[in-house]
Amino acid sequence: MRYQIDNIEYGKTWDNITIDTYSGFGPRMNDYHMHTYYEISLITEGDVTVFLSDVSDSGRHCRIVLLRPYTPHFIMSDPDIYYSRTNLLFTNEFIADYVPEWSGLSELFGANGSIISLSDDECKNLFEIMQKLKDEPNIFRKKLILLYFLSNLKDIPSNSYTSTSTPEFIADAVSYLTEHYAEKITAHELAEIIGIGRTTLMTEFKKYIGTTMNEYLTQCRLKNAIKLMRAGTTIQETAEKCGYSDGCCLIRVFKKRFNVTPMEYIGKKHR
């Protein structure tokens, strides 16, 4: 199965760590994708669903998500509840050759990613370390702080890995929608493709993904529409490439989701 690769500075070896924070209300465009770098996401607030290829985790609790390169995943928040998440990104080259202990620390990321539930104190401690990383200008010290951060995760009890195993057909359904978002897809057709009953698919999809199949499909379409329009593709062409009958239909769906037109949204994001 082919997955979309979302990346920062394609093909470039980083000599630093990237840290960014998302917070606020409203829909966030995300779909099933992967990166070429390590990603650590500290989720401090919100009603959030984390979906990996074999496990998922939903709720309002604090948790940390660890993803090694090429780990399919998505993280989705309820748009009506305040959401806060800090991401720590780095490449293998930045740290792997730095200390022999890296092989042991890298086990934290698991074969297909890891989700660790955190107490309030654990969450606060890890957030403070992330802020030290962000504020530290010295690269050598940053590497030391990163190792200290990971060693703190090593001390968290294994019973904190509380994610739920996900049925294989859910991963198949998400993968199919992510790849075929531009096509007209009904729940009945998708259920036949993956070999499961339509009712079971719709019920279990909502349970594990935290949203309906149609909502996830819309999210995939709009995220890719935003990328195309930012690259200069016309609204009509974008609509055709993203599964909409025409530009008017795309604008209508876009305004319902964001309360602005596509051009207004793109303009705001470029200011």
Side-chain angles (χ1 to χ4, degrees):
M1 182 64 67
R2 177 174 59 84
Y3 301 101
Q4 177 180 339
I5 298 180
D6 282 359
N7 205 0
I8 299 174
E9 298 180 354
Y10 293 86
K12 182 178 179 182
T13 299
W14 301 355
D15 58 1
N16 207 333
I17 293 172
T18 296
I19 298 178
D20 53 44
T21 300
Y22 303 103
S23 61
F25 297 89
R28 299 177 184 281
M29 293 294 95
N30 199 356
D31 57 10
Y32 202 37
H33 66 283
M34 58 187 176
H35 308 295
T36 60
Y37 45 80
Y38 285 90
E39 177 179 27
I40 300 174
S41 291
L42 179 62
I43 300 168
T44 54
E45 294 183 78
D47 190 346
V48 183
T49 294
V50 180
F51 182 80
L52 307 180
S53 61
D54 54 356
V55 296
S56 61
D57 183 89
S58 299
R60 300 191 183 190
H61 53 289
C62 294
R63 77 207 86 160
I64 195 161
V65 184
L66 298 104
L67 305 165
R68 63 175 68 249
Y70 303 104
T71 302
H73 67 282
F74 82 86
I75 300 175
M76 181 183 296
S77 63
D78 186 322
D80 297 323
I81 298 174
Y82 185 84
Y83 169 65
S84 183
R85 164 187 166 201
T86 299
N87 294 331
L88 167 59
L89 316 174
F90 61 94
T91 62
N92 189 68
E93 293 84 359
F94 180 77
I95 198 68
D97 298 328
Y98 189 61
V99 291
E101 290 82 7
W102 171 247
S103 60
L105 291 173
S106 66
E107 293 175 358
L108 286 163
F109 294 83
N112 301 301
S114 298
I115 307 169
I116 307 174
S117 294
L118 304 171
S119 67
D120 289 343
D121 287 341
E122 290 168 338
C123 188
K124 180 181 178 181
N125 178 52
L126 293 173
F127 180 78
E128 289 175 349
I129 298 174
M130 277 188 163
Q131 293 310 301
K132 288 181 180 179
L133 262 172
K134 186 175 183 178
D135 297 336
E136 176 57 58
N138 183 278
I139 297 298
F140 174 75
R141 290 176 180 171
K142 276 191 173 183
K143 292 183 179 183
L144 293 178
I145 297 172
L146 175 58
L147 293 172
Y148 175 66
F149 180 91
L150 293 171
S151 68
N152 271 260
L153 288 178
K154 272 282 191 181
D155 293 336
I156 295 176
S158 58
N159 60 8
S160 295
Y161 291 71
T162 56
S163 49
T164 303
S165 295
T166 305
E168 186 176 349
F169 71 83
I170 294 295
D172 291 341
V174 173
S175 297
Y176 189 90
L177 292 173
T178 303
E179 185 171 349
H180 298 271
Y181 65 88
E183 301 173 13
K184 183 178 179 181
I185 307 170
T186 67
H188 177 75
E189 290 168 341
L190 181 57
E192 285 193 338
I193 290 170
I194 63 177
I196 197 74
R198 175 183 175 278
T199 301
T200 299
L201 170 62
M202 296 180 68
T203 302
E204 297 298 286
F205 196 98
K206 174 69 174 178
K207 174 183 175 181
Y208 288 99
I209 306 304
T211 189
T212 65
M213 174 190 136
N214 285 336
E215 275 295 309
Y216 180 77
L217 184 58
T218 296
Q219 184 154 296
C220 290
R221 287 173 171 172
L222 292 183
K223 179 182 177 181
N224 285 280
I226 289 169
K227 288 183 177 180
L228 288 169
M229 288 185 289
R230 282 179 175 163
T233 307
T234 67
I235 289 181
Q236 182 60 38
E237 291 174 321
T238 298
E240 293 171 358
K241 292 180 178 180
C242 293
Y244 294 106
S245 56
D246 53 42
C248 292
C249 182
L250 170 58
I251 292 172
R252 185 168 59 252
V253 174
F254 205 97
K255 287 187 71 173
K256 183 178 179 180
R257 178 63 65 96
F258 295 107
N259 295 317
V260 294
T261 67
M263 290 302 99
E264 288 172 335
Y265 180 92
I266 299 300
K268 288 180 180 180
K269 293 299 178 179
H270 279 263
R271 288 173 188 165

